[in-house]
């Protein structure tokens, strides 16, 4: 199962990503988590991206693309992978297409999490991460609108988008996702 999670900050990508990884045993590649680990460890890369992350700016493409390349090459992706937080804009999406074509592992689905911005603000203000202040959340949402949202149409045109209602109990949202992924697995089995 090769999955991309697409959605605004706070829409539940990280939370649901963990549930998908646990159930389907796919490899978790979450760019935000990988970058935060670099910041926490104080690596040169971490120092380079710390302020950008704290202010809600995107980190330069070459850094995140490098991380994705490294993980797709070294991690065990026998059961597939889950990309959380990548791609974030059109250039990243096009780079990903080329990378996956090269390794013969096309995406199965892009799960788009639908959650209204009022709910997102409420969730993120309750969390207290370094980039969860009201101004920074607003800025992250602006960047999402300008750069990431166009990916919905990009993946719709490829027939890969499945919309998930991200509102409700976490377990209920997981169940909606599992239904989509199970249907994909059944359809694939029927084809083989
Ligand atoms: P990243 O870590 O990807 O953050 P984000 O997209 O802003 O998303 P969040 O982690 O805030 O939200 P989420 O959708 O994962 O929701 P979550 O499950 O955590 O990126 C951080 C930064 O890294 C970026 O700003 C950028 O600087 C950099 N970066 C990362 N990738 C990059 C890339 N590809 N290119 C360039 N830069 C990049 O949930 C949020 C909260 O809501 C939690 O407290 C959770 O418990 C709660 N919650 C979840 N589900 C529910 C529910 N159903 N009901 C109630 N509460 C819920």
């Amino acid at each position: 199962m090769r999955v991309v999670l697409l959605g605004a900050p706070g829409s539940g990508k990280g939370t649901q990503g963990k549930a998908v990884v646990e159930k389907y045993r796919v490899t978790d590649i979450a760019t935000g988590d990988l970058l935060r680990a670099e910041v926490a460890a104080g690596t040169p890369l971490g120092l380079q991206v710390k302020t950008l992350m704290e202010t809600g700016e995107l980190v330069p493409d070459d850094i995140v693309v490098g991380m994705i390349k490294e993980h797709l090459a070294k991690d065990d992706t026998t059961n597939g992978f889950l990309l959380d937080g990548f791609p974030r804009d059109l250039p990243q999406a096009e780079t990903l297409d080329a990378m996956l074509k090269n390794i013969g592992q096309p995406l199965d689905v892009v799960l788009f999490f639908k959650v209204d911005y009022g709910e997102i603000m409420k969730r993120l203000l309750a969390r207290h991460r370094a980039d969860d202040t009201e101004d920074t959340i607003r800025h992250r949402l602006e960047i999402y609108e300008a750069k990431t949202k166009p990916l919905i149409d990009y993946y719709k045109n490829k027939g890969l988008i499945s919309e998930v209602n991200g509102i409700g109990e976490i377990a209920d949202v997981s169940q909606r996702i599992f239904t989509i992924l199970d249907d994909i697995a059944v359809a694939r089995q029927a084809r083989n």
Side-chain angles (χ1 to χ4, degrees), residues 87 89-100 151 154-155 158:
D89 56 19
L90 279 171
Q92 289 184 13
E94 285 162 0
T95 305
L96 178 66
D97 279 348
M99 269 192 261
L100 296 182
L151 294 185
Y154 178 83
Y155 284 120
K158 292 178 181 288

Side-chain angles (χ1 to χ4, degrees), residues 14-90:
T15 305
Q16 297 301 334
K18 303 286 171 286
V20 169
V21 164
E22 194 171 311
K23 181 167 161 72
Y24 297 91
R25 302 279 160 209
V26 292
T27 294
D28 189 12
I29 308 177
T31 42
D33 288 348
L34 293 170
L35 289 165
R36 276 184 292 278
E38 298 280 346
V39 172
T43 63
L45 193 151
L47 293 175
Q48 196 185 335
V49 301
K50 186 173 188 286
T51 309
L52 289 172
M53 292 182 76
E54 280 173 2
T55 51
E57 297 295 336
L58 291 186
V59 161
D61 279 359
D62 57 329
I63 293 182
V64 276
V65 166
M67 290 167 77
I68 295 289
K69 260 193 192 139
E70 184 194 327
H71 281 271
L72 284 178
K74 86 166 198 265
D75 294 352
D76 177 8
T77 56
T78 316
N79 290 337
F81 53 77
L82 176 132
L83 297 177
D84 166 7
F86 183 93
R88 205 80 163 203
D89 56 19
L90 279 171

Side-chain angles (χ1 to χ4, degrees), residues 6-191:
L6 185 63
S11 57
K13 305 181 298 294
T15 305
Q16 297 301 334
K18 303 286 171 286
V20 169
V21 164
E22 194 171 311
K23 181 167 161 72
Y24 297 91
R25 302 279 160 209
V26 292
T27 294
D28 189 12
I29 308 177
T31 42
D33 288 348
L34 293 170
L35 289 165
R36 276 184 292 278
E38 298 280 346
V39 172
T43 63
L45 193 151
L47 293 175
Q48 196 185 335
V49 301
K50 186 173 188 286
T51 309
L52 289 172
M53 292 182 76
E54 280 173 2
T55 51
E57 297 295 336
L58 291 186
V59 161
D61 279 359
D62 57 329
I63 293 182
V64 276
V65 166
M67 290 167 77
I68 295 289
K69 260 193 192 139
E70 184 194 327
H71 281 271
L72 284 178
K74 86 166 198 265
D75 294 352
D76 177 8
T77 56
T78 316
N79 290 337
F81 53 77
L82 176 132
L83 297 177
D84 166 7
F86 183 93
R88 205 80 163 203
D89 56 19
L90 279 171
Q92 289 184 13
E94 285 162 0
T95 305
L96 178 66
D97 279 348
M99 269 192 261
L100 296 182
K101 201 170 175 202
N102 259 339
I103 59 174
Q105 295 205 38
L107 293 175
D108 290 303
V109 66
V110 176
L111 297 173
F112 166 54
F113 289 68
K114 223 177 156 193
V115 178
D116 63 88
Y117 289 173
E119 168 73 11
I120 281 174
M121 195 51 98
K122 205 170 75 192
R123 286 183 188 179
L124 295 184
L125 286 176
R127 182 174 60 177
H128 310 303
R129 204 168 75 186
D131 56 349
D132 284 340
T133 64
E134 196 169 334
D135 281 352
T136 308
I137 296 167
R138 272 214 192 89
H139 187 52
R140 285 158 65 199
L141 289 172
E142 282 165 9
I143 290 189
Y144 167 75
E145 283 279 335
K147 298 198 165 173
T148 312
K149 220 173 162 188
L151 294 185
I152 300 171
D153 279 341
Y154 178 83
Y155 284 120
K156 250 185 203 160
N157 288 336
K158 292 178 181 288
L160 285 170
I161 282 274
S162 269
E163 199 169 290
V164 177
N165 171 9
I167 302 270
E169 293 296 323
I170 288 172
D172 292 340
V173 179
S174 301
Q175 207 44 61
R176 290 170 201 151
I177 292 171
F178 297 162
T179 302
I180 294 170
L181 297 183
D182 288 346
D183 284 351
I184 289 172
V186 168
R188 187 199 283 146
Q189 259 174 353
R191 276 199 308 271

